[in-house]
Amino acid sequence: MKDLRPRDVGVLIDDAIATYRANARPILLAAAISVFPAALLVGLGQDFYLRGLFESIVAGSASDAPATFGFDMLAGYAVSASGAWLMVLGRAYLDATILAAFPQMLDGSVSDNKAFLKAGLPRYGWYLLTSYLVQMLVSIAAVVSFFALFAGGIVVWALLSLAAAITVLERANTADAIRRSYELVKRHFWRALGYLVIVTTLVTLFEGALASPLIIRQIVVAAQNPDAVFQQTPLVWKIVEGLVLGAAMTLVAPIMPLALASLYADLRARSEGMDLIVRAREIAARRA
């Protein structure tokens, strides 16, 4: 069992990444099944839609503007929207699976990939429902606090950040999970908020770094031929960009549920002495 004593924010993030690395095979297998297809649709859709939109604007009313611009934009938008909905469902499955296996990960690495893939299914519905409800509450709080720089949305986001995870980790229903998240986070609000902001920023940076070859390629092409920016992008390259963006989203997807599980364990250790309870149970089991 890993050390569950209260730890610094940096150690919590390191532990989450170390857990990812130690269980990379089953985690990436689950991500490839549940997230990559949707991420690929989102990546392809965004690339076709955004590029089609840009190219159509540049082409304007030119008589030689390709007739495929409008089709690219419409198809790209439809694919991207479909991928976004599938992404929500896929991410919920991946998160529930990782959270359900988190106690086993603390003891070491996951050995049974098939059992890992099934671990989150019993709590999938509760996780999805709670995530949706929390997002609604955050959105409502953000709108109400519009003139206060959305402070209400930020506060609710932090206080209820663990609710969906608790539906899996404690097998709680939505109401109990929301109340439990509020109780755990409110005692260490600023610590939890800072941690969430750091993790969210790192995830965004990681995803951007993985997709950086695309950006570098575009910069090089623009530097070599400025007019290339205003030309239609080849179909093959659009597909390559969609694949890279999809892979980037898939690889970083497991970080957030692992980070939330680490935060949950840390807050329980700080507020309830969970580390001491676990250690006492281990000692009792050895003596028995």
Side-chain angles (χ1 to χ4, degrees), residues 14-282:
D14 288 342
D15 285 350
I17 295 176
T19 302
Y20 188 171
R21 293 177 59 187
N23 300 274
R25 181 174 295 181
I27 288 176
L28 289 177
L29 176 60
I33 294 173
S34 61
V35 175
F36 181 71
L40 179 60
L41 288 178
V42 172
L44 288 172
Q46 288 181 350
D47 194 59
F48 274 77
Y49 175 72
L50 293 176
R51 284 189 178 277
L53 178 62
F54 176 73
E55 291 166 355
S56 64
I57 291 175
V58 171
S61 58
S63 58
D64 60 344
T68 58
F69 281 155
F71 175 78
D72 285 352
M73 290 174 58
L74 180 60
Y77 178 80
V79 170
S80 183
S82 300
W85 278 105
L86 290 175
M87 177 71 80
V88 171
L89 300 176
R91 285 290 299 268
Y93 164 79
L94 178 64
D95 291 359
T97 298
I98 290 174
L99 290 166
F102 185 71
Q104 183 182 354
M105 293 180 186
L106 292 178
D107 286 327
S109 58
V110 175
S111 57
D112 189 342
N113 291 345
K114 185 178 294 186
F116 177 83
L117 293 175
K118 296 179 180 178
L121 291 177
R123 305 302 300 173
Y124 175 73
W126 283 111
Y127 184 92
L128 189 62
L129 173 63
T130 305
S131 298
Y132 180 74
L133 181 57
V134 168
Q135 290 176 5
M136 284 185 56
L137 294 174
V138 171
S139 299
I140 293 172
V143 171
V144 171
S145 62
F146 173 79
F147 293 104
L149 301 178
F150 306 102
I154 296 173
V155 171
V156 174
W157 171 61
L159 289 173
L160 304 186
S161 59
L162 297 178
I166 289 172
T167 62
V168 180
L169 293 169
E170 298 187 6
R171 303 185 68 83
N173 60 43
T174 298
D176 290 341
I178 289 176
R179 182 174 61 253
R180 182 83 166 117
S181 177
Y182 174 81
E183 292 173 349
L184 282 175
V185 175
K186 71 175 181 179
R187 303 175 187 177
H188 308 280
F189 176 79
W190 293 110
R191 175 184 179 81
L193 177 60
Y195 176 81
L196 292 170
V197 170
I198 293 173
V199 171
T200 302
T201 302
L202 288 176
V203 168
T204 303
L205 292 175
F206 287 161
E207 185 174 322
L210 291 173
S212 61
L214 300 179
I215 300 175
I216 294 174
R217 182 259 181 190
Q218 292 172 1
I219 294 175
V220 171
V221 170
Q224 293 176 343
N225 180 16
D227 292 336
V229 178
F230 304 102
Q231 298 174 359
Q232 188 174 17
T233 305
L235 175 63
V236 173
W237 185 250
K238 288 183 179 181
I239 295 175
V240 170
E241 288 185 337
L243 286 170
V244 172
L245 290 174
M249 287 186 278
T250 301
L251 289 173
V252 302
I255 297 177
M256 185 57 74
L258 288 170
L260 290 175
S262 295
L263 177 63
Y264 166 82
D266 180 72
L267 294 183
R268 285 204 60 184
R270 292 177 182 277
S271 301
E272 303 170 353
M274 185 180 73
D275 56 322
L276 301 177
I277 295 173
V278 171
R279 191 172 298 277
R281 289 177 178 174
E282 289 180 343

